[in-house]
Amino acid sequence: QVQLVESGGGVVQAGGSLRLSCAASGRTSTFIRMGWFRQAPGKEREFLATITWSAGSTTYADSVQGRFSISRDNAKNTMYLQMNSLKPDDTAVYYCAAKSRSFGAYSQQGSYDSWGQGTQVTVSS
């Protein structure tokens, strides 16, 4: 089993920055990629970014392109999401996820095997 724990959420002023962390434990050697999603009240869960575990290749949603940066430290079994130029619309619960299957679209939440509990990010105007 895999356990994922997010941290780093909080309240920040518009235009500010936060860095989220996702610490993984368990059978992390099976990871193909990890990703970040978010869900705001009344909205569907939204794909943000993903990174392949071995090569570190990244892909971003258009909504965060140029503002958010995903990275990982394999030795620490930790994934990060650096968020800059935050806007009130970024307010949401942010989730990290891990994908161990070789199949499944990386932008769909159903493709990921393990999920964290989420961390709240609130951006004030």
Side-chain angles (χ1 to χ4, degrees):
Q1 293 86 358
V2 172
Q3 184 177 20
L4 306 177
V5 180
E6 301 98 333
S7 62
V11 180
V12 65
Q13 293 270 339
S17 299
L18 282 175
R19 189 178 77 155
L20 305 183
S21 298
C22 176
S25 61
R27 200 174 178 182
T28 59
S29 61
T30 66
F31 286 3
I32 294 174
R33 63 172 66 244
M34 297 186 72
W36 288 97
F37 293 75
R38 69 185 180 190
Q39 188 164 23
K43 297 183 179 180
E44 296 181 352
R45 189 166 296 186
E46 176 189 11
F47 165 77
L48 299 176
T50 186
I51 185 167
T52 61
W53 200 240
S54 57
S57 301
T58 60
T59 306
Y60 298 92
D62 290 343
S63 60
V64 302
Q65 183 76 49
R67 297 191 299 124
F68 290 10
S69 179
I70 189 172
S71 61
R72 88 280 187 262
D73 187 333
N74 298 61
K76 295 182 178 180
N77 289 321
T78 302
M79 178 181 64
Y80 306 94
L81 185 67
Q82 178 66 46
M83 305 186 294
N84 300 320
S85 301
L86 284 164
K87 303 180 290 186
D89 285 348
D90 294 319
T91 296
V93 177
Y94 284 68
Y95 298 90
C96 70
K99 183 178 185 292
S100 298
R101 306 185 189 97
S102 60
F103 54 89
Y106 61 79
S107 61
Q108 292 190 289
Q109 58 179 313
S111 298
Y112 292 79
D113 309 284
S114 303
W115 292 82
Q117 82 290 344
T119 185
Q120 177 70 47
V121 172
T122 301
V123 183
S124 61
S125 60

